[in-house]
Amino acid sequence: MNRQILKSSHFAVERGTIVRIKTLSPHEKLFEIALPGNARLNHDPGQFVGVSVFGVGEAPISVCSSPTKRDTFDLCIRDVGRVTHAIHALKEGGSLGIRGPFGRGFPVRLLEGNDLVLIAGGLGIVPLRSLVQYVINNRRDFGKVSILLGCRTPDEMLFGDEIEQWNKRIDVHFACTVDRAAPEWHGHVGVITTLIPGEMLVPERTFAVIVGPPVMYKYVIGELLKKQIPDRQIIVSLERHMKCGLGRCGHCQIENLYCCQDGPVFHYDEIKHIKEAI
Ligand SMILES: Cc1cc2nc3c(=O)[nH]c(=O)nc-3n(C[C@H](O)[C@H](O)[C@H](O)COP(=O)(O)OP(=O)(O)OC[C@H]3O[C@@H](n4cnc5c(N)ncnc54)[C@H](O)[C@@H]3O)c2cc1C
Ligand code: FES
């Protein structure tokens, strides 16, 4: 596999200013970041950046807004440990180190002109949001678009207001499910795979994009294969522990693949023979 030639900007840490913070849940916050002079990040949907807090460390975080948003970009960060906790403690006007963008994002040029099924489970909505926003902002470039979302309980569903807007669009088919319903939930109940059999998909022109927890991939891919979607047209985004982001340290390696450089986005035919990938 050809690894991208690293631009020198990948190594440099840029100073990002936190323009706005929105609390999405007790554990997740959305940070809107501006680079000096409102320079563009120049990312592809699905790529990630190294986000650092001085004196604490760095964490890989997906860019969760579309490159069509020009002056700023969004990061949705779950507070799980040292670095993410330090980021959560920052206030609007504070600054972060930004390195990247890194990795291979979603192949938007390849997706153009085709029908799309965009599938996210749990926190998978975070990286997928950049692609959904991109597709909606360039809606005429794509065929039929379905967005299928799933999470464990209704209160775990992030970006509720934005999802409501996706649901209202007449040019997007939207479905959402929860594993366990609350009394006020009137929607679908069941794991995300239960949404796929009802989808009318034309295999020759359908690309499926899946982002979610590791346990979900095997079963979702199984349902898509039953619908005759070719391996090459099934696209997944894998999350692995990462350190350098540059293909050097080996932290993210799965056999001969480096998730930080060759991925995190892969076509299913590239990884289906690798047991520990899915
Ligand atoms: C390509 C990529 C994109 C990511 N995008 C996002 C994102 O958009 N939003 C977000 O909140 N998180 C994202 N993550 C996960 C995020 O990088 C980790 O949660 C973060 O590095 C944890 O650092 P910490 O110092 O806060 O936690 P630590 O103190 O290092 O660890 C706390 C806990 O988190 C676990 N952990 C650490 N690193 C990872 C990792 N890479 N993946 C899974 N678990 C980990 C540890 O095992 C431990 O249980 C992404 C990871 C990758 C590889
Ligand atoms: S994170 Fe170091 S090789 Fe991928």
Side-chain angles (χ1 to χ4, degrees):
M1 184 170 296
N2 287 330
R3 294 213 169 92
Q4 71 181 107
I5 296 166
L6 290 169
K7 290 185 236 155
S8 57
S9 63
H10 283 111
F11 298 96
V13 179
E14 294 272 5
R15 190 181 133 126
T17 301
I18 303 172
V19 177
R20 205 162 295 122
I21 301 176
K22 187 175 177 190
T23 299
L24 300 180
S25 81
H27 308 290
E28 282 96 12
K29 285 184 181 174
L30 187 68
F31 295 84
E32 187 177 348
I33 311 288
L35 292 176
N38 284 352
R40 298 190 67 175
L41 181 64
N42 278 329
H43 68 288
D44 295 326
Q47 283 192 301
F48 65 95
V49 285
V51 182
S52 55
V53 177
F54 186 70
V56 183
E58 185 183 66
I61 301 291
S62 304
V63 182
C64 75
S65 54
S66 162
T68 45
K69 183 178 183 196
R70 286 168 185 271
D71 294 343
T72 59
F73 58 93
D74 296 345
L75 304 173
C76 172
I77 302 181
R78 175 176 283 184
D79 181 357
V80 295
R82 257 167 58 82
V83 176
T84 49
H85 194 60
I87 298 171
H88 269 241
L90 295 170
K91 305 270 181 281
E92 289 179 357
S95 53
L96 288 163
I98 302 289
R99 212 162 55 94
F102 292 120
R104 179 170 65 154
F106 299 112
V108 283
R109 295 280 165 269
L110 183 67
L111 302 182
E112 280 173 10
N114 291 291
D115 293 350
L116 306 181
V117 195
L118 310 177
I119 305 169
L123 259 197
I125 180 78
V126 173
L128 196 74
R129 178 178 181 251
S130 64
L131 181 62
V132 172
Q133 288 185 345
Y134 181 89
V135 168
I136 286 176
N137 290 335
N138 297 280
R139 185 63 192 87
R140 278 185 298 184
D141 294 343
F142 301 90
K144 199 179 125 196
V145 175
S146 298
I147 302 172
L148 310 181
L149 302 182
C151 58
R152 280 182 300 197
T153 57
D155 54 337
E156 283 182 18
M157 194 73 76
L158 297 176
F159 306 113
D161 296 347
E162 193 170 338
I163 286 174
E164 198 48 46
Q165 296 307 312
W166 300 346
N167 191 15
K168 283 184 185 154
R169 291 185 71 99
I170 52 166
D171 57 358
V172 166
H173 165 67
F174 178 87
C176 170
T177 185
V178 295
D179 296 353
R180 289 190 303 279
E184 70 280 9
W185 178 259
H186 301 294
H188 194 281
V189 181
V191 291
I192 188 133
T193 44
T194 59
L195 295 178
I196 298 171
E199 290 292 304
M200 300 287 284
L201 307 179
V202 181
E204 308 83 71
R205 59 161 196 255
T206 298
F207 278 76
V209 177
I210 315 166
V211 198
V215 63
M216 156 185 153
Y217 286 94
K218 188 172 143 197
Y219 299 103
V220 171
I221 290 170
E223 290 298 327
L224 292 167
L225 294 175
K226 280 189 213 162
K227 294 268 183 189
Q228 315 293 329
I229 306 296
D231 293 348
R232 187 75 191 158
Q233 291 167 215
I234 299 177
I235 293 162
V236 300
S237 180
L238 301 182
E239 207 180 276
R240 286 293 185 277
H241 284 233
M242 293 186 189
K243 218 167 185 165
C244 67
L246 303 173
R248 286 181 174 171
C249 72
H251 264 75
C252 67
Q253 198 170 351
I254 320 171
E255 290 197 0
N256 62 333
L257 298 177
Y258 289 87
C259 248
C260 67
Q261 289 275 291
D262 302 321
V265 172
F266 294 96
H267 294 259
Y268 181 50
D269 63 350
E270 293 170 328
I271 52 158
K272 68 174 188 178
H273 56 283
I274 304 177
K275 203 167 150 237
E276 55 163 314
I278 297 283

